[in-house]
């Protein structure tokens, strides 16, 4: 954090944001968090299995981006997100980007994927591996992860981007989350 503040204080820096990200497959417990169009597309593929368990049809590619506190506060203020929920570690608050590019019949348009509002909670599982010696001797299991929507927007923070897949989720949170 000290280095971030040093960079911010440099005279020739007009905007700055620091972020780390992780991507993973997320198996939603409830498809009602999705728009009807996305929900139906996922249901067409049938139920999936991960770590030997049925995880249902609602698999989402998640890109979870942790931002430095100052940049996240600015983004929250600009988008009207609830800072209290966003910075409450017990709620795993996120700002969800609800805009994606869609190409249908050669025509490009912007669409939403999520049927959520500020304050909604979402729960699901993610695939994880533990142990292993590099030779494939590891344990597969499902971890649990829930989050609270502290804000939902079609805007992006500095350096942000939109996912184009109908089953992708990009969300911003604190680095600690």
């Amino acid at each position: 954090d000290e280095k971030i503040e040093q960079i911010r204080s440099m005279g020739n820096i007009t905007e700055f944001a620091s972020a780390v990200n992780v991507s993973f497959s997320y198996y939603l417990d409830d498809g009602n968090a999705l728009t009807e169009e996305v929900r139906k597309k996922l249901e067409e593929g049938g139920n999936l299995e991960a770590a030997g368990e049925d995880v249902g049809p609602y698999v989402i590619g998640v890109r979870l981006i942790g931002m430095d506190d100052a940049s996240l506060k600015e983004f929250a203020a600009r988008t009207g997100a609830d800072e209290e929920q966003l910075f409450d570690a017990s709620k795993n608050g996120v700002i969800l980007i609800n805009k994606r590019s869609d190409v249908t019949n050669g025509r490009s348009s912007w669409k939403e994927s999520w049927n959520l509002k500020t304050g909604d909670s979402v729960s699901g599982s993610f695939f994880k591996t533990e142990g292993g010696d590099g030779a494939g001797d590891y344990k597969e299991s499902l971890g649990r992860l829930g989050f609270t929507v502290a804000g939902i927007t079609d805007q992006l923070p500095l350096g942000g981007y939109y996912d184009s897949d109908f089953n992708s989720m990009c969300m911003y949170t604190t680095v600690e989350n």
Side-chain angles (χ1 to χ4, degrees):
D1 291 320
E2 184 179 319
K3 288 185 182 197
I4 290 172
E5 289 310 313
Q6 288 175 346
I7 293 170
R8 282 186 187 284
S9 67
M10 296 173 78
N12 57 345
I13 303 294
T14 58
E15 291 185 275
F16 175 84
S18 172
V20 295
N21 76 73
V22 62
S23 297
F24 54 94
S25 293
Y26 187 61
Y27 309 102
L28 288 168
D29 290 343
D30 183 359
N32 289 321
L34 304 165
T35 62
E36 182 178 358
E37 174 193 19
V38 172
R39 190 172 56 248
K40 284 182 177 182
K41 281 184 182 180
L42 292 173
E43 288 170 350
E44 287 173 6
N47 283 14
L48 303 170
E49 186 178 296
E53 295 183 41
D54 181 350
V55 292
Y58 308 115
V59 62
I60 304 300
V62 169
R63 183 178 320 274
L64 181 61
I65 302 169
M67 297 178 71
D68 68 270
D69 286 355
S71 298
L72 189 60
K73 284 180 182 179
E74 184 280 325
F75 185 46
R78 187 164 44 89
T79 61
D82 183 328
E83 274 193 46
E84 187 175 318
Q85 289 185 35
L86 187 59
F87 286 92
D88 182 342
S90 69
K91 293 187 178 192
N92 288 331
V94 300
I95 300 175
L96 179 63
I97 306 300
N98 196 19
K99 185 175 184 178
R100 65 178 173 86
S101 173
D102 180 74
V103 179
T104 304
N105 298 325
R107 300 196 66 161
S108 182
S109 63
W110 292 107
K111 290 190 175 182
E112 295 181 346
S113 294
W114 302 97
N115 185 29
L116 297 168
K117 63 186 181 308
T118 298
D120 285 348
S121 293
V122 177
S123 61
S125 303
F126 63 95
F127 180 79
K128 65 180 184 173
T129 58
E130 298 175 274
D133 56 5
D137 185 27
Y138 54 87
K139 179 184 173 200
E140 295 179 345
S141 63
L142 292 176
R144 296 291 299 164
L145 176 65
F147 62 88
T148 301
V149 178
I152 191 161
T153 184
D154 62 359
Q155 299 176 48
L156 294 175
L158 179 65
Y161 55 90
Y162 296 108
D163 282 313
S164 58
D165 293 336
F166 74 93
N167 64 336
S168 293
M169 172 192 291
C170 186
M171 54 187 173
Y172 292 83
T173 188
T174 65
V175 172
E176 291 76 25
N177 277 347

